[in-house]
């Protein structure tokens, strides 16, 4: 059950143990087909029952609950989450306490309807991306500016657009290089904690193969925090406009970001 994940710190290990115990004790045994009465000394499930449901050793599970310095694998965390019947939010919390980056899945790529409606009603260009940089939803103003609707779905990604679409160099003009480097430096730390995700592997392999500039800058390992800023864009059909932009994390799904532009 070993993994290359960084072991959680002592405080997180203690919190992990307390969290596991609280969820174990909250489960009614009979809901899982286990006998409720008899000689049970603790509420909920016993540790050995959780271990059996998760198909891991009892000793390993006890170590986790005791906050001892062990590092669970992603498979172990998933198995425990299933055994304890954790929901999506609880599973994300279990991953965080275990010191493992939560993997992306189909749910991470689903934009909540309320957020879609908000984007649609904005007059300013706005769109939503996941951690991979895939553009999942956009409004008409963003489509006019960036042409998302003209791109095949598999290419509708901000990094593919920036490094592989000639239209991007026209859109950013003389500021293309600075903007491309900024985007890459913000993506690097996100990539590195998701480096085992096949989608990240596929994306970076394609960009390195098809863009010599991307390959060169990728080797430099630039790192930068994301956030708000300014851009000068040369919109299709002419016209030079300065924009302020802000990237907002979607609370319902932290894997998603909403990017909104305002002309200044």
């Amino acid at each position: 059950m070993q993994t290359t994940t960084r072991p959680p710190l002592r405080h997180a290990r203690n919190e992990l143990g307390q969290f596991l115990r609280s969820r174990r004790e909250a489960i009614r045994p009979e809901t899982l087909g286990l006998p409720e009465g008899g000689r049970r000394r603790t509420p909920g499930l016993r540790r050995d029952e959780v271990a059996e449901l998760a198909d891991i050793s009892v000793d390993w599970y006890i170590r986790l609950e005791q906050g001892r310095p062990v590092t669970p694998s992603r498979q172990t965390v998933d198995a425990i989450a299933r055994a304890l019947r954790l929901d999506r939010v609880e599973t994300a919390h279990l991953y965080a306490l275990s010191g493992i980056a939560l993997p992306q899945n189909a749910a991470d790529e689903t934009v909540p309807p309320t957020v879609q409606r908000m984007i649609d009603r904005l007059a300013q260009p706005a769109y939503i991306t996941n951690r991979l940089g895939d553009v999942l939803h956009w409004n008409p103003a963003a489509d006019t500016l960036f042409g998302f609707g003209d791109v095949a779905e598999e290419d509708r990604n901000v990094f593919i657009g920036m490094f592989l679409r000639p239209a991007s160099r026209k859109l950013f003009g003389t500021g293309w290089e600075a903007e491309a480097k900024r985007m890459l430096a913000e993506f690097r730390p996100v990539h590195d904690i998701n480096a085992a995700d096949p989608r990240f592997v596929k994306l970076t392999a394609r960009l390195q193969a098809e863009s010599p500039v991307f390959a060169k800058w990728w080797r430099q390992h630039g790192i930068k925090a994301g956030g708000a800023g300014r851009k000068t864009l040369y919109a299709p059909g002419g016209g030079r406009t300065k924009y302020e932009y802000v990237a907002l994390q979607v609370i319902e799904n932290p894997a998603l970001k909403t990017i909104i532009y305002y002309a200044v």
Side-chain angles (χ1 to χ4, degrees), residues 33-213:
L34 299 172
E36 180 182 16
R39 304 170 67 178
R40 289 185 177 273
R41 298 178 180 178
T42 58
L45 299 181
R46 297 192 301 263
R47 289 169 172 172
D48 62 296
E49 291 172 330
V50 176
E52 182 177 358
L53 289 168
D55 195 25
I56 61 177
S57 75
V58 178
D59 179 67
W60 183 268
Y61 181 76
I62 290 175
R63 286 168 178 261
L64 288 174
E65 266 207 18
Q66 290 178 340
R68 296 170 68 178
V70 295
T71 306
S73 68
R74 188 181 298 277
Q75 292 77 13
T76 298
V77 172
D78 285 337
I80 292 174
R82 289 192 298 269
L84 294 176
R85 304 301 193 265
L86 303 186
D87 61 24
R88 180 175 62 84
V89 175
E90 291 171 324
T91 299
H93 187 59
L94 178 61
Y95 263 88
L97 292 176
S98 301
I100 304 175
L102 187 67
Q104 282 187 282
N105 53 41
D108 291 322
E109 299 183 356
T110 301
V111 181
T114 52
V115 180
Q116 290 189 30
R117 290 193 289 270
M118 179 197 71
I119 293 296
D120 294 340
R121 292 168 182 167
L122 289 175
Q124 300 84 3
Y127 58 92
I128 299 171
T129 67
N130 59 16
R131 285 177 288 188
L132 195 65
D134 295 329
V135 182
L136 306 179
H137 191 76
W138 60 92
N139 64 9
D143 197 25
T144 299
L145 190 58
F146 298 105
F148 294 133
D150 299 330
V151 181
E153 184 176 357
E154 61 269 20
D155 291 340
R156 202 173 290 143
N157 175 282
V158 294
F159 304 105
I160 289 175
M162 195 65 173
F163 287 93
L164 301 183
R165 289 185 66 197
S168 293
R169 291 183 179 266
K170 294 181 181 179
L171 180 64
F172 289 94
T174 57
W176 179 87
E177 180 174 334
E179 179 61 16
K181 284 184 174 180
R182 180 198 65 80
M183 288 178 58
L184 192 58
E186 290 183 5
F187 177 61
R188 188 71 201 223
V190 178
H191 164 273
D192 288 352
I193 65 172
N194 293 279
D197 189 319
R199 289 169 296 180
F200 281 80
V201 174
K202 181 179 178 180
L203 175 63
T204 54
R206 177 184 176 185
L207 288 168
Q208 290 182 83
E210 298 182 25
S211 172
V213 173

Side-chain angles (χ1 to χ4, degrees), residues 8-16 97:
L9 299 177
R10 181 176 180 179
H11 174 73
R13 292 200 306 268
N14 292 336
E15 292 293 330
L16 172 61
L97 292 176

